[in-house]
Amino acid sequence: MPVKIAVLKETRPNETRVAMVPAVADKLAKLGAEVHIQSGAGAAVKLPDTAFKSAKFTDDVGALVRDADVVVSVQPPDAAMVSEMRPGAILICFVYAHREVELTRLLRDRRITTFAMELVPRITRAQAMDALSSQATLAGYYAVLLGAIHLDRILPMMTTAVGSIRPARTLVMGLGVAGLQALATARRLGAMTEGYDVRPETKEQAESLGAKFVDTGVDARGSGGYARELTQEEKDKIAAVVTKHIQQSDIIVTTAAIPGRPSPKLISKAQVDGMKAGSVIVDLAAEGGGNCEYTEPGKTVQVGQVTVLGPLNVPSMLGEHASELYAKNQFNLIELFLKEQQIKLDWSDEIIAKTALTHDGKVVNEAAQKVVG
Ligand code: NAD
């Protein structure tokens, strides 16, 4: 029997992405898998069912997942869907177990092998499977565009018959994947760019993108290439340097995150109150509560003369490319265990072991175990 891969239509609000695109369905078919897709799964990104030449479509979701070997989606499926899956089947999607405690318990108890896309290790070999990076890249790009359209100014320098317009200043706070892409995008649009992070290695990365690095002298490198939380003393030291840069910016993009923690607050109300009239903050960390004290997740708020955007699920605003990259990330993961038309999970492979959330009736990720029990 060929391996059956089922693709779900997303149901969560504001989710436009789809976990399968025609090119990936073709590649899976070449590996001998059968791809079955819920009808209309790509509708939100204007991808009609007819665009898929090597997949079958159905409206019957129960039948779709009941005998599937692998179920793929972007967001975690609802409990009813998991209950339809057969024990031992594989689910691949973003989960974030700390936000999905009940669902994770159900996945464990239903003996589903869950690969959570947010757990793909940040190692070179896994780069092509790293959906956090592919989606963050798009979000970083789009954050600058969102900022630009909320600004009553232009970004590039412009020389006109009535004089020159100075380029806008863009400050990006948090120079991970999204932040570096935001710096690159703002620069391409002609803005003057500055970047800031608490990991000193980002200085060189920012400079290579033509940005100035705001050096605060604080080194908050944590484990695994991520940042750690700051002490109050460090926060004060940073504020003394960063306030001036915040207050002379036209657009600020914030992206700072610490794994498993609420978003660190990088911009205080007092700092916003001192910003230039008309400037814009795009807070990409809104999902985790936001980097700015004024951010309201999912809303655009006017604070005096400053606009603060807290967009949620930014990759969905670029659903077509976000789906394409996500589907390719998942394909590269599936390719690891789809061998000779059979599923062979090699638990000695670091990517398989670290991406697994539940397997064989257990929560196998240590951090999730602590939350889920
Ligand atoms: P992230 O989303 O966890 O955080 C975004 C940025 O916020 C990080 O650069 C972090 O240092 C910064 N930050 C946290 N607290 C801050 C604070 N108080 N002030 C200012 N900045 C703060 O980051 P990410 O984009 O997921 O990337 C995390 C790391 O993983 C980076 O080092 C990145 O280069 C690395 N990475 C490696 C690979 C790979 O090798 N395969 C793939 C992707 C990312």
Side-chain angles (χ1 to χ4, degrees):
M1 287 279 284
V3 167
K4 177 178 171 184
I5 298 178
V7 185
L8 300 178
K9 182 173 161 70
E10 302 295 319
T11 54
R12 298 210 176 183
N14 301 325
E15 184 54 74
T16 66
R17 291 169 291 179
V18 56
M20 188 63 61
V21 294
V24 170
D26 292 348
K27 283 174 150 195
L28 286 166
K30 275 202 188 113
L31 290 182
E34 258 185 20
V35 179
H36 295 248
I37 306 180
Q38 187 177 346
S39 303
V45 289
K46 302 178 188 67
L47 188 56
D49 296 354
T50 50
F52 291 84
K53 302 296 173 217
S54 44
K56 293 181 178 151
F57 284 82
T58 177
D59 286 323
D60 185 345
V61 198
L64 178 70
V65 297
R66 214 165 289 138
D67 60 347
D69 301 293
V70 182
V71 175
V72 298
S73 60
V74 180
Q75 301 288 347
D78 59 27
M81 200 76 74
V82 173
S83 302
E84 293 280 1
M85 287 176 67
R86 68 165 180 75
I90 292 173
L91 171 68
I92 313 177
C93 59
F94 281 118
V95 183
Y96 292 101
H98 60 284
R99 298 203 294 243
E100 298 288 344
V101 173
E102 284 311 315
L103 188 78
T104 306
R105 287 186 184 136
L106 182 64
L107 290 163
R108 173 194 65 193
D109 298 342
R110 295 275 310 153
R111 308 184 83 78
I112 306 297
T113 296
T114 312
F115 291 113
M117 291 304 285
E118 73 277 7
L119 297 179
V120 169
R122 262 44 211 285
I123 56 171
T124 309
R125 194 166 64 87
Q127 267 176 7
M129 304 161 207
D130 186 350
L132 281 182
S133 288
S134 70
Q135 307 301 295
T137 305
L138 297 177
Y141 158 84
Y142 205 57
V144 175
L145 300 191
L146 284 174
I149 61 164
H150 281 83
L151 201 64
D152 297 328
R153 304 169 200 150
I154 60 168
L155 268 63
M157 191 183 95
M158 204 172 276
T159 307
T160 77
V162 284
S164 292
I165 293 177
R166 286 172 57 78
R169 286 175 176 270
T170 301
L171 171 66
V172 179
M173 305 177 83
L175 302 177
V177 178
L180 291 173
Q181 186 57 237
L183 275 185
T185 304
R187 172 96 175 166
R188 273 185 224 127
L189 290 174
M192 290 192 328
T193 50
E194 290 185 316
Y196 153 72
D197 200 293
V198 289
R199 292 181 299 115
E201 61 265 36
T202 57
K203 178 177 191 297
E204 207 184 303
Q205 295 163 356
E207 287 173 351
S208 74
L209 295 168
K212 272 197 196 149
F213 186 72
V214 179
D215 209 336
T216 60
V218 171
D219 179 348
R221 266 173 288 191
S223 57
Y226 291 102
R228 60 164 172 79
E229 271 190 301
L230 302 171
T231 63
Q232 190 53 47
E233 200 183 326
E234 286 172 328
K235 286 181 189 166
D236 295 344
K237 193 174 167 189
I238 288 168
V241 178
V242 169
T243 302
K244 187 180 93 197
H245 297 269
I246 290 175
Q247 297 185 340
Q248 67 192 14
S249 295
D250 298 288
I251 299 180
I252 302 179
V253 173
T254 64
T255 78
I258 300 162
R261 311 286 310 155
S263 314
K265 295 289 180 239
L266 308 190
I267 307 179
S268 67
K269 290 186 172 176
Q271 283 169 324
V272 176
D273 296 342
M275 282 176 73
K276 286 198 301 192
S279 41
V280 177
I281 298 174
V282 183
D283 191 344
L284 279 189
E287 215 103 23
N291 289 145
C292 171
E293 283 181 354
Y294 277 124
T295 297
E296 291 185 35
K299 293 193 178 150
T300 297
V301 291
Q302 201 63 45
V303 182
Q305 308 270 34
V306 178
T307 309
V308 183
L309 283 78
L312 297 175
N313 196 348
V314 176
S316 260
M317 298 173 188
L318 297 169
E320 181 185 335
H321 277 153
S323 301
E324 184 180 326
L325 298 183
Y326 181 80
K328 287 181 177 169
N329 292 142
Q330 283 203 333
F331 172 79
N332 289 317
L333 185 63
I334 292 171
E335 221 185 3
L336 275 189
F337 60 75
L338 187 56
K339 305 274 181 209
E340 290 147 23
Q341 305 194 21
Q342 281 181 25
I343 291 173
K344 290 182 185 154
L345 292 170
D346 174 5
W347 292 99
S348 68
D349 182 330
E350 182 183 2
I351 300 175
I352 297 285
K354 289 200 170 149
T355 309
L357 172 65
T358 62
H359 176 62
D360 205 13
K362 293 185 212 62
V363 175
V364 290
N365 174 271
E366 223 175 281
Q369 244 168 35
K370 286 189 190 132
V371 188
V372 177

